[in-house]
Amino acid sequence: MKIPTSLLAALVLGGLASGSGQLPTLKQAAQTRGVLIGGAVGSTLFDDLDPDYAATVGREFSVVVSENGMKWKALEGSPNEFVYGLADATVAWAAQHGVQVRGHTLIWHDSVPAWVYQLKTPAELRAAMQNHITQVMTHFGNRVLIWDVVNEAISDAPGHPLRANSPFALAGPDYIDAAFRWAHAANPAAKLYYNDYGAEALNGKSDAIYALVRGMQSRGVPISGVGFQAHLDANFSVKDSGMLENLKRFHDLGLDVQLTEVDVTLPAGGATPANLARQAQVYGDLMNACLGVKCSAFVMWGVNDAGSWRAGGKPLIFDDDYARKPAYGAVLGALQGH
Ligand code: XIL
């Protein structure tokens, strides 16, 4: 009997049959390379009607991020009243499954409750920021040792100054330094990251972030690394963008590099074999760039396409039904050095 190639590929990727025995899972392959691999998760992790979600995360990931559950609005919707429901559940699930947690995110202009916008003086705002950072990091303690302290603070405007449309601009130009110092004081064991999008390539924005973090280092601010979100599309070229060189210059500052929100939307035309192959190429190249600077984590922004914040672009490595896409094979292949 002739087995269709597509079925054969599915069987091989499923680990049911292969010439050299079972394929490792992503987390097994990543462990041998000293990198965490994972994704952002939501409340579907606890949905009994969608058991494949948690099964996929448990099988393949060594790190999770709560997609929205640790944002300021989720944790402190009213001043100094903290609600940890989904965040605690996610952290407990991770501990039970031997999975690490990336904390996301302490200071971000988005997902901020209205009361923060009503603070009118820099001193009031800074007190609220310090309290938020201190309370949240103290609550999680050593259960969360990786934190995005400041997210998306650099604007896309020409010259890439600090973002003006942020409630935190009122806190003064040194609010980023201050946030990292407060975070370090709250838990000196935690690794502290600056995280942003649109800075994967060698470009004006990555230049601005480079200048920012170099300045922080020169002022003795406790920053451990930089997170590159990597919300991309399948036309992105790791090679032509100078991404590896870009990541290297941050690594050369002694900073840790992580890819923190990877997703790669398909080109127009959708899930054709050619488009899926192009997407797979980008995923494999991203993992290779990450490994090229000894990155410590490769985190995707979701689990399966249907649950993605950009579901229309089918940007993840598992399809709507949690089947492994070609991009899964490319990530695994890169981890295995293929
Ligand atoms: C997104 C979530 O995926 C959405 O569900 C939510 O509505 C908005 O935030 N950069 C970030 C993430 O740092 O926190 C964002 O997550 C995506 C862009």
Side-chain angles (χ1 to χ4, degrees):
M1 175 181 97
K2 183 166 171 353
I3 301 174
T5 326
S6 58
L7 175 60
L8 198 59
L11 288 170
V12 170
L13 282 173
L16 297 174
S18 91
S20 54
Q22 291 213 340
L23 287 172
T25 62
L26 292 180
K27 75 170 167 190
Q28 288 168 339
Q31 193 179 14
T32 68
R33 304 301 297 268
V35 60
L36 295 170
I37 189 157
V41 296
S43 56
T44 316
L45 196 58
F46 308 101
D47 186 350
D48 292 339
L49 299 176
D50 197 350
D52 290 348
Y53 188 94
T56 303
V57 175
R59 188 183 69 235
E60 303 285 353
F61 292 172
S62 48
V63 62
V64 292
V65 180
S66 182
E67 183 166 354
N68 292 305
M70 291 192 190
K71 292 172 182 174
W72 191 318
K73 203 178 201 165
L75 295 182
E76 194 190 5
S78 303
N80 205 32
E81 280 179 27
F82 291 84
V83 176
Y84 289 105
L86 178 60
D88 270 352
T90 306
V91 171
W93 189 97
Q96 278 159 17
H97 292 81
V99 170
Q100 294 200 43
V101 179
R102 258 194 122 254
H104 174 85
T105 174
L106 294 165
I107 299 293
W108 186 30
H109 66 279
D110 200 329
S111 302
V112 177
W115 68 267
V116 174
Y117 287 88
Q118 282 149 21
L119 301 173
K120 288 295 174 237
T121 66
E124 278 180 299
L125 181 58
R126 289 172 80 99
M129 293 166 73
Q130 180 173 12
N131 186 56
H132 182 78
I133 290 171
T134 307
Q135 298 288 332
V136 171
M137 288 187 67
T138 304
H139 173 81
F140 292 109
N142 288 347
R143 297 178 299 156
V144 182
L145 285 168
I146 309 169
W147 282 99
D148 284 334
V149 178
V150 176
N151 191 35
E152 302 182 355
I154 300 285
S155 86
D156 296 316
H160 302 281
L162 286 187
R163 184 182 286 280
N165 67 337
S166 166
F168 302 111
L170 172 68
D174 69 331
Y175 83 82
I176 300 176
D177 288 10
F180 277 79
R181 293 191 199 280
W182 293 325
H184 183 70
N187 187 353
K191 295 252 188 272
L192 308 179
Y193 290 79
Y194 177 79
N195 193 55
D196 216 327
Y197 66 88
E200 295 76 26
L202 280 171
N203 59 27
K205 189 159 180 183
S206 60
D207 288 349
I209 294 170
Y210 184 80
L212 170 73
V213 298
R214 227 166 53 146
M216 290 169 75
Q217 288 183 312
S218 73
R219 295 186 293 276
V221 176
I223 178 170
S224 313
V226 177
F228 297 84
Q229 294 184 4
H231 292 295
L232 301 168
D233 63 59
N235 294 319
F236 181 79
S237 166
V238 168
K239 189 161 171 283
D240 297 346
S241 66
M243 180 167 174
L244 183 59
E245 296 85 327
N246 184 43
L247 299 184
K248 272 194 173 131
R249 64 177 169 160
F250 287 90
H251 178 69
D252 288 346
L253 291 177
L255 292 170
D256 186 39
V257 168
Q258 300 193 334
L259 302 192
T260 53
E261 303 183 15
V262 180
D263 58 9
V264 181
T265 53
L266 290 172
T272 63
N275 285 348
L276 290 168
R278 176 73 209 132
Q279 181 182 54
Q281 176 80 41
V282 176
Y283 262 100
D285 290 351
L286 288 171
M287 179 56 88
N288 276 320
C290 195
L291 294 171
V293 294
K294 299 188 169 32
C295 69
S296 54
F298 183 98
V299 181
M300 295 163 281
W301 205 242
V303 181
N304 63 326
D305 283 339
S308 163
W309 75 311
R310 305 201 290 168
K314 301 200 174 298
L316 295 168
I317 64 172
F318 297 100
D319 73 11
D320 291 353
D321 301 319
Y322 302 96
R324 299 161 177 82
K325 294 165 64 182
Y328 175 99
V331 170
L332 180 60
L335 286 168
Q336 294 181 299
H338 298 160

